Amino acid sequence: MPRFDYEISHRNRVGHERVHRYASDEPLEPGAVVLLEDGRYWLIDEVDESRATAKPARYRLSLDHPDGRSEVGAFRRFGPGSPRLGHAFTTVVDGEPISWAVVDERFARDDDGEPYLELVAERDFTEREGDLPDHELEHTLARRAEEELPEEATSLLDRADRLGQSVELVALEPGEVPDWDAGERFIDALVIEEVEDDLLEQCGVDPNADPRETWLAKVQDRLREDLRLFRADVDGDHDQIEEWDFRGGRVFAAIGGPSDESDPGSGYGWMCRLVDGEVLGAAGFVRVRKVELV
């Protein structure tokens, strides 16, 4: 079996170029999604023989209905379990599940020229045979026609679409309240081996220049401040974190771009770092990956 060796380069959060060696059984092409040793998914942007450049992997899911309607979702960060070609999922209409499958995967660019994967799903009608995929409500937030979806949610998603930005969402189950102390204890108990390279950079660590013995303290300080700011915002005026009630629970959301993920003053950055560092999970929040709101 042939082996293809590459040097993949990308710019980290502080603007420095990083180069990774990568081996593949298939030649890389623009639009390929790769998981590098920094623990993050990257989208191949350009390939020149054995050298490639990459950007943070994003995708956008569109639902193509049999009647010709198309519903376009918000940009999402790529992660484990993100949909790909052939992925099957269900949504619910009038209380009944309907089945979809991703039938096309296209390399595309947004209005700013940044790359992403455009995923197109079509109805596959397997629900008629009683053979439904797992109840993954993949794209419900993008279904603008659902009257019960709060106006605040549709407004946020429309704004994200218009600006070409990504959405980060977390939720609290009905009756649940945040356990802020548990989140702080989780930060205190972190060890550097549990912190991925990408989170290091999001927290302002430069692994190429900063002494390793300083990394953990920088990460903990950043996450503590993120948690404080996130809590103050959701308990206060919601200047950066939007919140709405839905079916007895509470949903929290922010929008932003790749550069915001390392911005200490960005609500989207707070959420990305606290989610990636599993701090919000420790505090009782659930990340909404496959949006389960319908």
Side-chain angles (χ1 to χ4, degrees):
M1 179 177 295
R3 171 188 168 99
F4 299 88
D5 294 311
Y6 294 91
E7 288 187 345
I8 299 177
S9 67
H10 64 81
R11 296 283 176 179
N12 66 18
R13 299 301 195 284
V14 294
H16 297 161
E17 182 182 35
R18 299 191 67 184
V19 178
H20 304 261
R21 295 191 178 277
Y22 184 82
S24 174
D25 294 334
E26 301 289 338
L28 290 181
E29 296 180 350
V33 176
V34 298
L35 177 63
L36 300 180
E37 62 263 29
D38 62 1
R40 190 175 187 193
Y41 289 89
W42 295 87
L43 181 64
I44 299 300
D45 189 19
E46 297 178 349
V47 180
D48 182 10
E49 296 183 348
S50 63
R51 189 170 180 85
T53 57
K55 296 291 183 69
R58 302 182 300 156
Y59 70 91
R60 188 171 67 177
L61 184 63
S62 299
L63 302 182
D64 282 1
H65 291 262
D67 62 6
R69 291 181 299 118
S70 182
E71 301 177 56
V72 180
F75 289 104
R76 302 298 302 271
R77 295 190 298 160
F78 199 92
S82 293
R84 298 298 303 270
L85 188 64
H87 181 79
F89 60 95
T90 63
T91 60
V92 173
V93 175
D94 296 329
E96 296 295 328
I98 61 175
S99 179
W100 302 81
V102 177
V103 299
D104 196 10
E105 182 177 284
R106 308 165 186 165
F107 179 67
R109 295 186 185 277
D110 62 20
D111 293 341
D112 294 325
E114 294 300 314
Y116 69 96
L117 283 184
E118 184 77 37
L119 305 178
V120 179
E122 294 181 352
R123 292 273 279 112
D124 65 5
F125 300 99
T126 56
E127 76 277 3
R128 296 179 179 176
E129 303 169 4
D131 184 20
L132 283 171
D134 291 340
H135 192 64
E136 298 171 335
L137 306 178
E138 252 317 326
H139 195 52
T140 303
L141 267 185
R143 300 173 59 214
R144 307 294 201 270
E146 289 292 335
E147 293 183 358
E148 66 175 314
L149 196 63
E151 181 180 351
E152 297 92 338
T154 58
S155 176
L156 177 136
L157 289 165
D158 286 339
R159 187 164 73 254
D161 287 346
R162 187 172 63 253
L163 298 174
Q165 294 184 319
S166 299
V167 180
E168 190 69 57
L169 296 134
V170 296
L172 290 171
E173 298 291 338
E176 293 293 325
V177 296
D179 189 339
W180 303 114
D181 290 341
E184 293 176 359
R185 290 194 300 271
F186 183 89
I187 296 172
D188 292 340
L190 276 176
V191 295
I192 196 61
E193 288 77 16
E194 297 173 346
V195 180
E196 294 183 351
D197 289 350
D198 192 56
L199 182 59
L200 285 175
E201 294 170 5
Q202 290 178 24
C203 292
V205 175
D206 183 350
N208 295 321
D210 296 336
R212 182 179 176 84
E213 60 270 19
T214 67
W215 294 0
L216 181 58
K218 285 189 174 184
V219 170
Q220 290 174 316
D221 288 347
R222 178 70 270 154
L223 293 178
R224 289 189 189 100
E225 182 66 2
D226 288 340
L227 188 63
R228 184 189 71 80
L229 293 169
F230 178 82
R231 178 179 182 178
D233 199 82
V234 300
D235 286 345
D237 295 331
H238 294 283
D239 292 331
Q240 300 209 45
I241 308 299
E242 299 198 23
E243 176 185 350
W244 60 85
D245 295 330
F246 192 75
R247 292 189 173 181
R250 299 160 64 193
V251 180
F252 304 83
I255 63 173
S259 63
D260 296 313
E261 293 179 23
S262 59
D263 185 348
S266 165
Y268 178 76
W270 308 336
M271 288 187 68
C272 288
R273 293 187 293 271
L274 292 171
V275 167
D276 291 349
E278 303 181 13
V279 178
L280 288 185
F285 294 85
V286 178
R287 186 184 187 191
V288 185
R289 292 181 181 271
K290 299 174 176 61
V291 184
E292 300 174 338
L293 296 183
V294 169

